[in-house]
Amino acid sequence: MDKQIKPKNKKTKKMLLISIPLVLLLSITFMNLTRKKQVNLKKESLAIKEVIKADFEDTALFNSMVEPKTTVLVNVIQGGSISEIFVESGQMIKKGAPLLRVYNPNAELNYLTQETAIIEQINNLRNIRVSIKNQQLNLKQQLLSIENDFKNAQRQYKLDTTLYSKGVVAKNNFLKTSQEFTFQKERSNVIKKSVGEERKSRDVQLSRINSSIANMEKSLALLRKNKENFIVKAPVDGFLSSFHPILGESYTQGQSVGKMDVLNGYKLVAKVDQFYISKLEKGIKGTVSIGKHKNSNITLAKIYPEVVNGRFTVELKFDNDSLQNNLKRGMSLKSKLFLSTSNKKTLLIAKGQFYSSTNGKWIFVLNSNNKAVKRKITIGRENSFYYEVLSGLKEGDKVITSNYDGFETVEQVNIK
């Protein structure tokens, strides 16, 4: 008897056909996920450096500009347009030497009006003072006349008293003389008192007038001196720089028209990266290179904490002024400041562009197979040439220090 053969399950066959590609797809995806992301690069396009162990010099290097130790601005005191220029920039100028003349007709008219008004007030006060003195003179003359009348009455009274006692003068005449004497005495006392009080009042008035005249004369002298401000003069002895006025150009009051460099020494001014703003402090020592083989000791004298475009300004002074003979304003010198007085051997990586992409948290380290693998590291201090390595690397390791932009997800670099 023949055995009946049952047909295969069509549903199972269909599932097998679907599951096989799905398993293959999942396998490929898993392999891609677990496989390191790699990139192939040519060796000549990379900067490869070796990790070394050496003394770490904790310094800050930057370019500094030579500037005079003392600079005085030359300002226009009286605004106006330039009518005359007497000197040129780059000359040695003595204090008080005229530099330029400013023309301002409105200001000149105003000065003339004020001067006329002050002179008129002074003349009026002087006339009042003359009048008061004439009145004092008249009072003095009147007082002398009254004093004379009193003395005549007194002398006549004494004479009549003697004659009356001898019976020579009649009683009526004696009484008349006595009355006249009493009148002149009281009159003299009253007028003397009145004149004394009036004299005090007029003395106070004259004192105030004299004080007012003195003040007005000072104002007049100051006004006339201010008229000289139309000529701009050198405020100090020194070297005139940044002086470039143009005939007819207008300047406002107080506007700077140049600089006077006092030749009493030089200083250095530098723009420093904001990275060092917390590391620098006043008094830090350093050196500056003057010429090919000359170094001069310097000291950080002033820090301006305002940061502009990622930089802040510092001033440095020379420890020895005798080394400044060959310096000139505007020279650029390489300066070095020592952030630490003690050096110690440590692992160092040469500076490179990798730091801007990794912030010093990882780096590609080469192995013997011309492959570079990502490795976590810890960076400490830095100077102008090296980063200090605190962990993740050892002496002799070779690392890629060139730019890592776009390599954030790359785990391995294959070097061709």
Side-chain angles (χ1 to χ4, degrees):
M1 180 176 177
D2 293 336
K3 185 178 181 181
Q4 185 178 3
I5 299 174
K6 294 182 179 180
K8 292 183 178 180
N9 192 328
K10 293 183 177 181
K11 186 175 182 180
T12 302
K13 186 177 181 181
K14 186 176 183 181
M15 288 181 65
L16 288 172
L17 291 174
I18 295 174
S19 62
I20 291 172
L22 183 61
V23 170
L24 290 174
L25 180 62
L26 289 174
S27 298
I28 294 171
T29 303
F30 179 76
M31 290 176 63
N32 287 334
L33 290 174
T34 56
R35 188 178 63 179
K36 293 181 179 179
K37 186 174 180 180
Q38 303 178 13
V39 65
N40 298 324
L41 295 174
K42 292 183 179 181
K43 187 174 182 179
E44 54 268 24
S45 67
L46 301 174
I48 300 174
K49 302 293 182 181
E50 184 176 344
V51 179
I52 63 173
K53 192 168 188 178
D55 289 336
F56 179 81
E57 193 178 51
D58 197 3
T59 60
L61 287 176
F62 44 82
N63 288 327
S64 54
M65 192 74 66
V66 176
E67 290 189 4
K69 191 181 294 183
T70 306
T71 299
V72 180
L73 290 177
V74 179
N75 297 328
V76 174
I77 301 176
Q78 176 62 61
S81 59
I82 306 299
S83 60
E84 289 183 83
I85 300 173
F86 305 116
V87 296
E88 295 180 353
S89 185
Q91 294 181 341
M92 287 297 300
I93 306 295
K94 291 290 186 181
K95 180 179 179 180
L99 305 179
L100 56 83
R101 185 192 299 276
V102 175
Y103 176 66
N104 189 331
N106 292 331
E108 289 185 1
L109 179 60
N110 184 45
Y111 280 137
L112 183 61
T113 303
Q114 292 182 48
E115 183 178 10
T116 303
I118 291 174
I119 292 174
E120 186 176 354
Q121 291 180 20
I122 291 175
N123 290 334
N124 290 337
L125 288 175
R126 285 175 175 170
N127 291 334
I128 294 173
R129 184 172 62 182
V130 170
S131 177
I132 291 174
K133 288 185 175 181
N134 288 335
Q135 292 176 9
Q136 285 183 328
L137 181 61
N138 291 334
L139 285 174
K140 192 173 183 179
Q141 290 176 347
Q142 291 177 15
L143 188 61
L144 289 173
S145 177
I146 291 169
E147 184 68 18
N148 184 61
D149 292 343
F150 167 69
K151 287 181 178 180
N152 288 335
Q154 185 181 36
R155 185 172 57 255
Q156 187 64 42
Y157 172 71
K158 289 179 179 180
L159 178 62
D160 286 357
T161 299
T162 303
L163 295 175
Y164 177 70
S165 64
K166 294 180 179 182
V168 177
V169 176
K171 183 178 181 179
N172 186 46
N173 290 336
F174 173 71
L175 292 175
K176 185 176 179 181
T177 301
S178 177
Q179 183 179 356
E180 178 67 17
F181 169 69
T182 303
F183 168 73
Q184 291 297 340
K185 182 179 179 180
E186 293 180 354
R187 179 189 179 202
S188 176
N189 291 335
V190 170
I191 291 179
K192 281 182 179 180
K193 185 177 180 181
S194 176
V195 169
E197 292 177 353
E198 190 169 350
R199 180 180 296 167
K200 289 180 180 179
S201 176
R202 293 185 186 278
D203 286 343
V204 172
Q205 191 175 3
L206 282 174
S207 176
R208 290 176 178 174
I209 289 174
N210 290 334
S211 178
S212 297
I213 290 175
N215 290 335
M216 288 184 181
E217 286 177 342
K218 288 181 181 178
S219 298
L220 184 61
L222 182 61
L223 183 67
R224 287 170 176 169
K225 186 177 180 180
N226 287 340
K227 289 172 67 176
E228 298 178 3
N229 291 335
F230 289 107
I231 297 179
V232 179
K233 299 178 181 180
V236 292
D237 292 345
F239 185 82
L240 182 63
S241 63
S242 303
F243 183 76
H244 306 291
I246 301 174
L247 288 175
E249 186 176 6
S250 295
Y251 284 84
T252 59
Q253 184 177 1
Q255 185 175 352
S256 176
V257 71
K259 297 178 181 178
M260 293 289 296
D261 298 336
V262 181
L263 303 183
N264 60 348
Y266 293 96
K267 63 183 178 182
L268 296 172
V269 178
K271 300 287 186 181
V272 183
D273 191 277
Q274 63 182 355
F275 170 80
Y276 294 102
I277 196 166
S278 61
K279 298 177 178 292
L280 298 183
E281 60 182 24
K282 187 177 178 181
I284 287 179
K285 299 293 183 179
T287 61
V288 62
S289 177
I290 303 176
K292 293 183 179 179
H293 305 289
K294 294 181 180 179
N295 285 333
S296 177
N297 293 327
I298 56 176
T299 302
L300 181 58
K302 190 179 293 186
I303 300 174
Y304 297 91
E306 183 182 5
V307 177
V308 179
N309 296 327
R311 293 177 174 268
F312 64 100
T313 304
V314 298
E315 286 186 8
L316 308 134
K317 66 178 183 179
F318 290 90
D319 294 349
N320 188 352
D321 291 339
S322 63
L323 298 176
Q324 303 181 35
N325 297 331
N326 297 325
L327 296 181
K328 291 184 179 180
R329 180 190 180 103
M331 289 179 63
S332 180
L333 303 177
K334 291 187 179 299
S335 299
K336 179 194 292 186
L337 289 178
F338 301 107
L339 306 181
S340 175
T341 56
S342 60
N343 297 331
K344 64 177 183 178
K345 288 189 179 297
T346 185
L347 292 177
L348 303 175
I349 305 176
K351 277 197 165 182
Q353 297 179 351
F354 78 96
Y355 190 88
S356 61
S357 302
T358 69
N359 202 25
K361 295 181 179 180
W362 55 272
I363 198 168
F364 284 112
V365 184
L366 276 71
N367 57 28
S368 58
N369 298 323
N370 283 334
K371 299 182 186 300
V373 181
K374 181 185 289 186
R375 185 186 299 178
K376 290 183 179 181
I377 61 172
T378 305
I379 296 294
R381 299 172 296 173
E382 68 174 276
N383 59 26
S384 300
F385 303 105
Y386 295 102
Y387 294 112
E388 180 186 28
V389 181
L390 300 180
S391 66
L393 295 173
K394 64 180 184 297
E395 184 179 3
D397 282 345
K398 292 185 178 181
V399 296
I400 299 175
T401 59
S402 48
N403 198 311
Y404 286 4
D405 287 348
F407 292 178
E408 288 79 3
T409 59
V410 174
E411 295 293 330
Q412 181 175 300
V413 176
N414 298 320
I415 301 174
K416 302 297 183 180

